[in-house]
Structures are given as structure tokens and as C-alpha cells.
Amino acid sequence: MTTTPVTGPAHHDDFLRLDQQICFSLNAATRAFGGLYRVVLKDLGLTYPQYLVMLVLWEHGELPVKKVGEHLRLDSGTLSPLLKRLETAGLVRRERSARDERSVVVGPTEEGTALREQALRVPRRIAAATGFDLAEIDDLRSRLDRLTGALDTAALEDAPGPG
């Protein structure tokens, strides 16, 4: 089966083509980033989700687990196993909050803090792999942030109200 490439704006009949779906383009880019991060982070001994946790902790220091989840847009069921693996690796410590025993705080260990120095190379390697200059990267990030905000708003508007 031969397909004709779409070069201009999508026509009505083309709306259901896979290559016209922004969700597919974003998913494909995410998977490509994941593959690149897997290679780049190997030297640090981190997975991409673990790297994101460490970024939050390097930026903010010790935080309640709930706040880490808010920064990463992750629920506790996803975050807890990540934190356990990072704790086992000696990169973070978790402990009950002295102020509120229901809350668990997490922070980088000395080893986790030292890893930050090695991690400074990661963004440069990722940026170089994109082929984009820094202005293009900033523009893309800004557009993706706007897109995320718009989609969050749309999801809230479309969410069913209370029973």
C-alpha cells in the first residue's frame, strides 16, 4: 500500500493519519529521549525516573515525599519504589518528619550530592544530540510547558463533577 506524504496543512480527510497526531509525535520523541537518556545516564548508574528525582532533590534539598511527587507529577505508588531503589543505592535517605510523623521526608545523601557534579554533563550531551541551539531548546520547552498547561486545564474542564 502506497501513501502520499502530507507536506502542507492537514486536510479534513487526513486528520486520522498517524503522522498527523500530535500525541504520536510527542510519544515518539519521548521514547527517543528515553533511549538517549538510558545511554547517557548509564555512567551515573541512574534510570531516567531516578535522575528526575535527583534533579528535584539537588534543586530543592530535603523535601516531603508528597512535594517530590508534585514536582514530578507522580503519585506515591510510582514514586515510592523509585525512592527505595535510590535509598538502596545510597543516594537518598528517607525518614519520618519530626514535625509530622505521617509525612516522610527525602533528601540526598553525601554520595547523592556528590553525584550532581557528574550529572552536570548530562544536559549538555542531551542538548548536543537534539541538533537544536539553546534558543530553540528554550522555545520548545516553553511551548511544551504551555501545551501541558492547556491540556491540564482542558482535563479539569472535561472532568465529571461530583456525583
Side-chain angles (χ1 to χ4, degrees):
M1 179 167 132
T2 313
T3 60
T4 307
V6 176
T7 55
H11 295 20
H12 180 69
D13 293 343
D14 296 328
F15 285 146
L16 294 180
R17 286 178 51 117
L18 182 62
D19 64 357
Q20 293 299 310
Q21 306 304 307
I22 189 171
C23 58
F24 182 74
S25 295
L26 287 169
N27 186 59
T30 298
R31 292 177 59 82
F33 265 114
L36 179 59
Y37 271 102
R38 201 171 5 270
V39 172
V40 172
L41 294 173
K42 188 175 183 181
D43 293 342
L44 299 180
L46 295 174
T47 64
Y48 178 68
Q50 291 170 341
Y51 173 68
L52 295 180
V53 169
M54 295 307 297
L55 287 174
V56 169
L57 297 177
W58 291 328
E59 182 177 349
H60 298 283
E62 185 175 278
L63 286 174
V65 170
K66 182 177 180 178
K67 283 287 185 201
V68 175
E70 288 171 6
H71 282 290
L72 296 175
R73 301 173 64 109
L74 293 176
D75 60 45
S76 63
T78 303
L79 187 56
S80 290
L82 282 172
L83 294 174
K84 285 180 184 176
R85 285 192 293 277
L86 287 168
E87 186 175 40
T88 300
L91 300 175
V92 303
R93 61 178 157 46
R94 295 180 305 156
E95 52 195 38
R96 293 260 168 224
S97 169
R99 292 188 310 220
D100 180 0
E101 288 196 16
R102 297 170 297 174
S103 178
V104 174
V105 289
V106 62
T109 61
E110 196 171 306
E111 185 180 346
T113 300
L115 189 62
R116 183 181 186 278
E117 198 62 34
Q118 286 179 274
L120 288 171
R121 293 188 298 264
V122 172
R124 288 186 193 102
R125 288 182 66 188
I126 298 298
T130 68
F132 291 0
D133 64 32
L134 292 180
E136 289 174 307
I137 291 171
D138 285 343
D139 180 59
L140 177 59
R141 186 177 37 247
S142 174
R143 288 170 179 259
L144 289 171
D145 289 345
R146 274 188 20 230
L147 175 62
T148 301
L151 295 175
D152 284 346
T153 298
L156 286 175
E157 290 170 357
D158 289 342

